[in-house]
Amino acid sequence: MPAFCFLARRLAPIVVFCLFWLWAAQAQADPNASERQELWSGSIYTSKFRCGFCFSPKGDARGVLLLRTAYGQVDVYHLYGTIAHGHVDVRHSSGHHVVGDILGEEVEGSITLGTGRTISFKGKRKTGVPLAPEDCAPPAF
C-alpha cells in the first residue's frame, strides 16, 4: 500500500473530528444567529410600550416587553410562545397573554391580563433592530 493511502486512512478520522468540532463550536458561539429580530412600539392608554422579539425559523418566539407608565415607571415582562403566518402568540409567567398580527410595518393585537381583562393595542414594527442577545430585550426608553 502506498504511503499516501496509509497516511490518509490514519488521518481521516482526525480531520473529520476536527471539522465536526469546528462546526459545533461555531453553532455554540451564536445559537440565535438565525433568529429574526423585531422591535414593536406604541402606546396603550397613557403608557408607552417597546417589545423586542426574536423569532426562530421553527416558529419559536421570545421577547421582552417594556411598559413605561405615565409616571415614568418601567415594568418588564419576559415573553415566550410561537409565531406562525404573521400571528404571534406569547405568554408571561404571571398569566398575561399577548396575541398580535404583523401587518407590514404595523402590528395590532391584544393583551389579556392574568385577571382576564383584555386590552387592544396597535403599534409600529421595525425589523433588524439590534436586541440584547441573551433575552431579546429592546433598547431602553
Side-chain angles (χ1 to χ4, degrees):
M1 172 182 307
F4 174 76
C5 291
F6 177 77
L7 186 59
R9 285 179 53 182
R10 298 286 265 170
L11 291 178
I14 296 170
V15 170
V16 169
F17 172 78
C18 289
L19 289 174
F20 177 77
W21 182 78
L22 287 172
W23 172 79
Q26 181 182 9
Q28 286 180 350
D30 193 1
N32 303 318
S34 62
E35 286 184 316
R36 186 176 84 235
Q37 297 182 344
E38 296 188 6
L39 174 65
W40 295 9
S41 58
S43 60
I44 300 173
Y45 300 128
T46 60
S47 298
K48 296 194 180 303
F49 72 86
R50 278 191 175 174
C51 190
F53 275 119
C54 293
F55 301 123
S56 78
K58 295 186 325 184
D60 296 322
R62 63 190 182 104
V64 175
L65 171 68
L66 303 179
L67 185 65
R68 186 178 70 193
T69 67
Y71 304 107
Q73 176 183 337
V74 177
D75 296 325
V76 180
Y77 301 92
H78 293 264
L79 307 169
Y80 298 92
T82 60
I83 181 171
H85 310 292
H87 181 76
V88 177
D89 187 335
V90 292
R91 294 181 184 272
H92 181 260
S93 62
S94 67
H96 299 339
H97 182 202
V98 179
V99 293
D101 291 307
I102 297 172
L103 308 168
E105 293 180 7
E106 297 183 351
V107 293
E108 65 180 38
S110 63
I111 300 172
T112 303
L113 303 176
T115 61
R117 180 175 178 214
T118 299
I119 303 166
S120 296
F121 70 87
K122 288 186 179 185
K124 298 289 183 188
R125 171 182 172 244
K126 291 183 183 178
T127 58
V129 176
L131 303 173
E134 64 278 356
D135 61 1
C136 300
F141 282 101

